[in-house]
Amino acid sequence: MSTLSIRTAACAAAVAGAVLVPLLPAQAHAAGSVHLHKIYYDSPGTDDRSTRSLNAEYVQIKNSTSRGVNLRGWTLTDASRHKYTFGTFTLGAGKTVTVRTGRGKDSASTKYQNRRAYVWNNDRDTATLRKSSGSRVDTCSYNSTRYDYKNC
């Protein structure tokens, strides 16, 4: 095989690998955990600070345990230390809660930060979930403008 053929084959393999990497599944979490599930950091359309736009920016937290978990006092923060603190709230077994940036009425499946400005950067940021004691439960980072969300 000539040097040119080897280089061509190596380049083709590198390109194929780069194309396939985004198709790999997101990091798996151990069964029986409360963890960050998804960050939708770039809401669709123009960032106009409307309630609709702010609420399209959110983080989902999943409870994959077989019991409800009391999240009272738990916090969700970004790299700039914007903080959302859960009030009295139990995340049911196998359930997911969505924490939206904007305003709305809290429910069992959706919480609102009641902010009038965006929290999650459109290019890179890190979400951190902590217990009321301050111990870190999970983190999830992204570094891309190519996508609007990150599965954690």
Side-chain angles (χ1 to χ4, degrees):
M1 193 177 240
S2 72
T3 303
L4 181 58
S5 296
I6 292 171
R7 285 185 184 156
T8 302
C11 287
V15 168
V19 168
L20 293 176
V21 167
L23 300 177
L24 295 174
Q27 175 183 344
H29 289 278
S33 67
V34 174
H35 55 270
L36 297 165
H37 180 67
K38 181 179 186 176
I39 305 172
Y40 205 110
Y41 54 87
D42 187 8
S43 58
T46 304
D47 287 349
D48 59 8
R49 290 188 174 190
S50 67
T51 299
R52 176 197 50 75
S53 181
L54 288 167
N55 284 339
E57 179 184 87
Y58 60 84
V59 174
Q60 291 181 325
I61 299 167
K62 184 170 180 70
N63 176 4
S64 62
T65 71
S66 59
R67 295 184 201 170
V69 176
N70 183 353
L71 300 186
R72 182 184 177 116
W74 286 39
T75 60
L76 172 65
T77 57
D78 72 337
S80 297
R81 301 185 195 260
H82 294 101
K83 183 190 295 187
Y84 172 77
T85 303
F86 283 91
T88 302
F89 177 68
T90 298
L91 182 57
K95 300 293 183 182
T96 299
V97 63
T98 301
V99 180
R100 297 188 183 277
T101 298
R103 302 158 118 206
K105 185 175 181 194
D106 288 348
S107 70
S109 61
T110 306
K111 301 295 178 187
Y112 294 88
Q113 295 191 47
N114 294 314
R115 294 182 182 272
R116 295 178 187 225
Y118 299 94
V119 171
W120 305 102
N121 297 330
N122 288 351
D123 56 352
R124 68 176 56 112
D125 213 335
T126 299
T128 302
L129 181 64
R130 292 184 185 276
K131 291 183 177 182
S132 57
S133 65
S135 64
R136 187 175 66 199
V137 174
D138 196 12
T139 61
C140 181
S141 297
Y142 58 89
N143 184 8
S144 175
T145 56
R146 190 172 179 187
Y147 304 100
D148 297 331
Y149 66 91
K150 162 83 183 227
N151 289 319
C152 301

